[in-house]
Amino acid sequence: MSVDNLFEDAFQLLKQMIAIPSFSKEEDKTADLIQAFLIERGITPHRKGNNLWVFNKYFDSQKPTILLNSHHDTVKPNKGYTKDPFSPEVSDGKLFGLGSNDAGGCLVSLIATFRHFYDRQDLKYNFVLAATAEEENSGKGGLESIIPDLGECNFAIVGEPTQMHLAVAEKGLMVLDCHAKGKAGHAARDEGDNAIYKALNDIHWFKDYQFEKVSPTLGPIKMSVTVISTGTHQHNVVPDLCSFVVDVRVTDCYTNEEVLEVINQHVECEVVPRSIRLKPSSIPMDHPIVKYGISLGRNTYGSPTTSDQSLLNIPSLKCGPGDSARSHTADEFIYVDEIREGIEMYIKLLEGIN
């Protein structure tokens, strides 16, 4: 099938996806749409929840397998929208609509790419396509829930908007709930042990501490205190509890467990990670697909944002049409030409690696 036909199918599919609300955990209708799209084209996917996956027609267990993955859930539209987020509108070469850029354009381009390779018998690799849910809320009912069903994969392309440049590393994420404990007392008297003051020492540590190792692609680990609250809202009560939340962006120089150990060595408050499953990742610069992508004029960089790449334990590359700067913005859009170029570049990348 020609790239023109693949593009036209992908473009129409993306418009249909935009028209269907698909917030995280509520993606059943877009899963239905993608499932029907594939079946109508002679490809019957597997399904678990709102996740779909399918293997190439001549899958050979003796060959290595490449995973092509992106997500079809979206965040909720922010209040700045001037257009209907669920009305796909084409204007000035742009397709507007919620999820058009993050990550609908990537997903439909990967579906088109998979279709290009689907019934080829001369492939050096197997392909498995996974259209997954719950990426935007890091839910456990998304890619993570079907990894065992995908079999042994040797490499992955994770579709996220990178302008088709190569994100060769990605920061992991830990969200920490921290609790400083004191003793309640009356504010008018010299009594109690103010938990806020105890928390402040640890908050300053999070602000100022620098981890020794700095990633050449991702830079330093970044820790940000983002929420703070006390156990009381009365002005005349010395609080016995002060809780705060820390957003920790972990680089490929450390594991989440190592970072957590360092934190616990330095702070007095109780530290409870919500999860340590969103790991940092990187791919060697001498990996064949990285080298070939560079030869095609693609830039390499480290991504500060987290994606489903953090759930994979195999070499992976984050790459896709669109621009991360447009993600989660009002009047989100993707250039129509970016979809065509995404399909063409994905195919070139995958045909060119040895």
Side-chain angles (χ1 to χ4, degrees):
M1 181 177 288
S2 70
V3 170
D4 286 344
N5 290 334
L6 291 170
F7 161 73
E8 187 58 36
D9 266 4
F11 181 58
Q12 296 304 323
L13 175 60
L14 180 53
K15 289 198 291 185
Q16 291 176 288
M17 288 170 57
I18 289 169
I20 302 173
S22 56
F23 308 135
S24 299
K25 294 183 179 290
E26 302 174 20
E27 317 94 336
D28 54 304
K29 297 296 189 299
T30 46
D32 292 344
L33 171 67
I34 297 164
Q35 184 173 22
F37 175 90
L38 291 170
I39 290 172
E40 287 169 6
R41 286 151 185 81
I43 304 171
T44 302
H46 304 273
R47 181 166 177 172
K48 180 185 288 184
N50 297 327
N51 303 288
L52 303 163
W53 70 98
V54 63
F55 301 93
N56 59 293
K57 186 174 183 178
Y58 298 103
F59 186 93
D60 181 349
S61 61
Q62 301 303 308
K63 295 178 180 178
T65 299
I66 295 175
L67 169 64
L68 307 177
N69 165 247
S70 192
H71 64 95
H72 57 98
D73 64 314
T74 72
V75 296
K76 294 186 177 181
N78 68 47
K79 296 179 180 179
Y81 263 83
T82 64
K83 301 177 182 292
D84 182 348
F86 305 110
S87 178
E89 175 187 328
V90 180
S91 177
D92 296 326
K94 304 172 183 176
L95 172 61
F96 290 89
L98 182 65
S100 56
N101 180 77
D102 184 15
C106 300
L107 179 56
V108 299
S109 298
L110 283 173
I111 291 172
T113 301
F114 177 81
R115 291 178 63 204
H116 172 81
F117 291 106
Y118 172 68
D119 56 5
R120 292 242 312 250
Q121 299 187 52
D122 61 339
L123 297 176
K124 303 173 187 175
Y125 305 93
N126 299 307
F127 288 95
V128 54
L129 169 73
T132 50
E134 297 188 26
E135 190 274 346
E136 294 291 3
N137 69 341
S138 302
K140 293 186 177 181
L143 174 62
E144 186 175 22
S145 70
I146 64 167
I147 286 176
D149 301 289
L150 302 178
E152 183 180 354
C153 296
N154 303 89
F155 172 73
I157 290 182
V158 176
E160 290 285 340
T162 69
Q163 298 180 303
M164 292 307 295
H165 293 301
L166 313 178
V168 295
E170 176 185 272
K171 285 188 176 181
L173 170 64
M174 282 196 300
V175 179
L176 308 178
D177 290 306
C178 301
H179 308 287
K181 298 176 181 178
K183 182 179 179 182
H186 198 296
R189 295 188 289 271
D190 187 17
E191 61 184 32
D193 185 8
N194 196 318
I196 292 176
Y197 299 154
K198 298 180 77 170
L200 282 175
N201 290 329
D202 288 340
I203 289 171
H204 278 294
W205 181 85
F206 279 111
K207 174 179 176 290
D208 296 332
Y209 186 78
Q210 297 292 319
F211 283 82
E212 180 180 350
K213 292 183 282 188
V214 176
S215 168
T217 51
L218 295 170
I221 287 176
K222 188 163 190 327
M223 300 189 291
S224 304
V225 177
T226 55
V227 180
I228 186 168
S229 61
T230 65
T232 178
H233 298 288
Q234 294 178 247
H235 72 87
N236 58 350
V237 176
V238 172
D240 62 354
L241 177 68
C242 182
S243 299
F244 57 98
V245 177
V246 187
D247 179 293
V248 184
R249 304 289 168 154
V250 183
T251 73
D252 53 337
C253 289
Y254 295 87
T255 66
N256 287 349
E257 291 83 355
E258 288 170 337
V259 171
L260 190 59
E261 183 179 357
V262 170
I263 291 170
N264 279 315
Q265 289 172 353
H266 286 84
V267 300
E268 294 185 11
C269 61
E270 177 189 16
V271 178
V272 182
R274 295 181 185 176
S275 170
I276 56 172
R277 34 191 282 276
L278 303 178
K279 306 179 294 293
S281 62
S282 63
I283 185 171
M285 292 297 291
D286 61 356
H287 191 281
I289 199 166
V290 176
K291 292 169 68 175
Y292 188 62
I294 293 171
S295 76
L296 294 176
R298 301 294 90 194
N299 298 327
T300 62
Y301 72 102
S303 173
T305 58
T306 301
S307 72
D308 275 341
Q309 192 175 19
S310 65
L311 301 171
L312 298 171
N313 291 314
I314 56 174
S316 59
L317 190 68
K318 187 161 70 174
C319 177
D323 187 340
S324 181
R326 301 181 211 137
S327 299
H328 306 179
T329 61
D331 299 335
E332 180 183 346
F333 70 89
I334 189 169
Y335 286 101
V336 175
D337 285 347
E338 287 179 319
I339 301 168
R340 181 189 296 273
E341 292 163 1
I343 296 168
E344 292 173 341
M345 183 56 68
Y346 278 142
I347 291 173
K348 282 183 182 176
L349 279 171
L350 292 167
E351 285 186 332
I353 57 176
N354 296 312

